[in-house]
Amino acid sequence: MSISMYSASVPVFTRMLGHLLQWLDKAEAHAQAKKFDTSVYLAARLAPDMLPFTKQIQIACDAAKFGVARLAGVESPKFDDNETSLADLRERIRKTVDFISSVPAAAIDGSEEKDIVVPRRDGNIVLKGEFYLKHYVQPNFYFHVTTAYGLLRHNGVGLGKGDFLGALS
Amino acid sequence: MSISMYSASVPVFTRMLGHLLQWLDKAEAHAQAKKFDTSVYLAARLAPDMLPFTKQIQIACDAAKFGVARLAGVESPKFDDNETSLADLRERIRKTVDFISSVPAAAIDGSEEKDIVVPRRDGNIVLKGEFYLKHYVQPNFYFHVTTAYGLLRHNGVGLGKGDFLGALS
């Protein structure tokens, strides 16, 4: 018995992306209560040279999408990075969940030693599937999801650890 | 072939805690360059009702410490949460790495179906080992590590994604 590559990827990302959708609901309710436009969130940054909220969501989705596609060796759907509203971001998250949920477990299981080609700014690198998932995709995914959470908290949205971790029973 | 419970826990936490130590070095250099005391970082928060930097580090360490100890069924060392400097926080991180590195792989492997008792504010919950690691310990650990990173970035420390992910070859 041990953790399968599938169970360490798709269900982990699907679960957190579901939580992210719920944070967006709370963000929308907060904006309504405070009477500001939800588009204010989209440009929010924690530092002037960090990526804004919209990009954090896009990259969190892409971390999951490309991670799953590369492990499975399937083509990933192309998303245009043209979201301009919370509704658009919700749609991006849903499309991501739809795609990764469509990949069969059998396509991902057994990819531990598979060579994964990862495009980087300074050229391609090749990582083994298990290293790629544990030390690249997962931390990258959590980085952008957590930064999105931090941006909402920084802008007054009432989220707590329970919203981050989700249901535990 | 598949991912072992050990390989999905100890090396993942050890690696990221090593990166965290490097961020603290950059934070110290930034404070020196800008001539402010490094203690300024310790109270930094992303929102008034979020935990400060010191707590983010303490909880990141505890997520790793308790996660590994509970999966292995061993006692975890007690840390006093009395850090008041970057040097103290470094020591906390090092003690955490020392402890989790001391737990043998054999004590953690095979804990997928083990009942893990997790103390929560509203009472104990019981989670299976694999669920506990993937949906509680890992997201909680990454949450606090990423929030610490975000706080340093928010306070001007020059970190990038390469510092977060670390060496990839």
Side-chain angles (χ1 to χ4, degrees):
Chain A
M1 265 231 355
S2 46
I3 306 173
S4 73
M5 288 291 285
Y6 182 81
S7 84
S9 55
V10 174
V12 168
F13 305 139
T14 302
R15 180 178 164 92
M16 283 303 299
L17 291 172
H19 301 167
L20 183 49
L21 283 172
Q22 292 174 351
W23 310 341
L24 296 188
D25 292 344
K26 290 205 176 181
E28 183 153 3
H30 175 70
Q32 277 168 3
K34 294 286 181 183
K35 301 190 195 312
F36 67 82
D37 195 281
T38 55
S39 65
V40 170
Y41 294 124
L42 304 193
R45 299 172 193 259
L46 289 180
D49 59 343
M50 277 184 85
L51 295 170
F53 186 73
T54 296
K55 268 280 166 203
Q56 300 296 338
I57 306 274
Q58 289 168 343
I59 303 177
C61 288
D62 282 359
K65 179 185 79 168
F66 287 120
V68 167
R70 288 186 185 129
L71 288 172
V74 300
E75 197 75 26
S76 58
K78 200 169 154 25
F79 300 148
D80 280 332
D81 291 341
N82 57 0
E83 289 84 1
T84 59
S85 66
L86 282 195
D88 289 348
L89 291 175
R90 279 197 190 91
E91 184 56 23
R92 170 73 167 252
I93 297 165
R94 285 198 199 99
K95 284 188 299 184
T96 303
V97 170
D98 285 349
F99 166 65
I100 64 177
S101 304
S102 77
V103 176
I108 294 177
D109 282 344
S111 58
E112 290 85 349
E113 291 294 324
K114 184 174 174 176
D115 283 333
I116 308 289
V117 179
V118 187
R120 304 270 294 169
R121 228 170 292 167
D122 43 359
N124 289 346
I125 57 172
V126 179
L127 302 174
K128 293 293 180 190
E130 181 173 340
F131 185 99
Y132 173 63
L133 176 58
K134 290 189 314 193
H135 300 303
Y136 186 97
V137 181
Q138 284 183 345
N140 198 35
F141 175 77
Y142 279 121
F143 176 90
H144 291 287
V145 166
T146 305
T147 303
Y149 176 101
L151 280 166
L152 293 178
R153 289 288 272 110
H154 189 59
N155 282 273
V157 180
L159 300 171
K161 183 60 76 62
D163 296 294
F164 190 85
L165 293 178
L168 293 171
S169 52
Chain B
M1 268 229 353
S2 46
I3 307 173
S4 73
M5 289 291 286
Y6 182 81
S7 83
S9 55
V10 173
V12 168
F13 305 140
T14 303
R15 178 177 166 92
M16 284 303 300
L17 291 171
H19 300 169
L20 183 49
L21 283 171
Q22 293 174 351
W23 310 342
L24 296 187
D25 292 344
K26 290 205 176 183
E28 183 153 2
H30 175 70
Q32 276 167 5
K34 294 285 182 183
K35 302 191 193 312
F36 66 84
D37 196 281
T38 55
S39 65
V40 170
Y41 293 124
L42 304 193
R45 300 171 192 259
L46 288 180
D49 58 344
M50 277 183 86
L51 295 169
F53 185 74
T54 296
K55 268 278 164 202
Q56 300 296 339
I57 307 273
Q58 289 168 343
I59 303 178
C61 289
D62 283 0
K65 178 185 81 168
F66 287 121
V68 167
R70 288 185 186 131
L71 288 173
V74 301
E75 197 75 28
S76 57
K78 200 170 155 22
F79 300 146
D80 280 333
D81 292 340
N82 56 0
E83 289 84 2
T84 59
S85 67
L86 282 194
D88 288 349
L89 290 176
R90 279 197 191 90
E91 183 57 24
R92 170 71 167 253
I93 297 165
R94 286 199 198 97
K95 283 188 298 183
T96 302
V97 170
D98 285 349
F99 166 65
I100 65 176
S101 304
S102 77
V103 176
I108 293 176
D109 283 343
S111 58
E112 289 86 348
E113 291 294 322
K114 184 174 172 176
D115 283 333
I116 308 289
V117 178
V118 187
R120 305 271 294 169
R121 226 170 291 168
D122 43 358
N124 289 346
I125 57 171
V126 180
L127 302 175
K128 293 293 179 190
E130 182 173 338
F131 184 99
Y132 172 64
L133 176 58
K134 291 190 312 191
H135 300 304
Y136 186 97
V137 181
Q138 284 182 346
N140 197 36
F141 175 76
Y142 279 121
F143 176 90
H144 291 287
V145 166
T146 305
T147 303
Y149 176 100
L151 280 165
L152 293 179
R153 289 287 272 110
H154 189 58
N155 282 273
V157 180
L159 300 171
K161 181 61 75 65
D163 297 293
F164 190 84
L165 293 177
L168 293 171
S169 51

